[in-house]
Amino acid sequence: MTVSLILAAAMAWQAGSQQFDLICTGTLESSSTASTTPTATQVSDRAAVDLERGLWCWLECSVVNAIHSRNAAELVLSNKDETGGSAYLRVDRITGAYTNDVRLNMEGGYVIKLNTTGHCERAPYTPIPRAAF
């Protein structure tokens, strides 16, 4: 009985280490094809990450994405939209440093580029919804 409790606790800890939120704060710099003056803004974002299922989403989880890639040193979260726009969030798994490169393709060939650099902290996991079917 004691061995089962220890085993169950170990499995719960391992699952917990594979599921976490990232709270990332940094400086967002934006530029566009319509403006030559970049702007800078302080931002904070939260993402839920489930390494076991290979999924992630921004806190509201309106869209669940597959994890782009991961290794011992780096976690890369990405998503693309129907216009060909994309976002790549790269997190250094040792230091917590991150960059988030976003490209938004607008009508008429107008392009907005957003680049954020900063630091991510691990936070308690917000469960990613499971597919109904």
Side-chain angles (χ1 to χ4, degrees):
M1 180 92 150
T2 305
V3 172
S4 333
L5 291 174
I6 292 171
L7 194 54
M11 289 174 63
W13 178 83
Q14 183 180 15
S17 68
Q18 298 292 305
Q19 299 172 322
F20 51 88
D21 281 12
L22 289 174
I23 298 176
C24 302
T25 56
T27 302
L28 172 112
E29 293 183 1
S30 63
S31 62
S32 72
T33 53
S35 172
T36 57
T37 308
T39 61
T41 308
Q42 293 297 315
V43 294
S44 180
D45 287 309
R46 185 174 186 135
V49 178
D50 186 334
L51 297 177
E52 185 177 304
R53 291 168 47 202
L55 301 174
W56 77 278
C57 63
W58 294 116
L59 186 56
E60 299 79 26
C61 281
S62 57
V63 176
V64 177
N65 302 287
I67 292 174
H68 183 76
S69 65
R70 70 177 190 218
N71 58 44
E74 183 180 58
L75 177 63
V76 180
L77 310 177
S78 68
N79 64 343
K80 295 187 179 189
D81 66 22
E82 62 280 351
T83 69
S86 61
Y88 289 91
L89 174 68
R90 292 173 172 82
V91 182
D92 183 306
R93 296 181 75 180
I94 308 302
T95 67
Y98 86 99
T99 61
N100 188 12
D101 297 307
V102 178
R103 178 187 171 100
L104 304 171
N105 297 324
M106 311 305 281
E107 288 185 31
Y110 180 65
V111 176
I112 298 173
K113 293 180 182 178
L114 308 169
N115 177 267
T116 306
T117 57
H119 188 264
C120 293
E121 295 285 335
R122 187 181 179 116
Y125 180 60
T126 304
I128 296 173
R130 292 203 176 267
F133 48 91

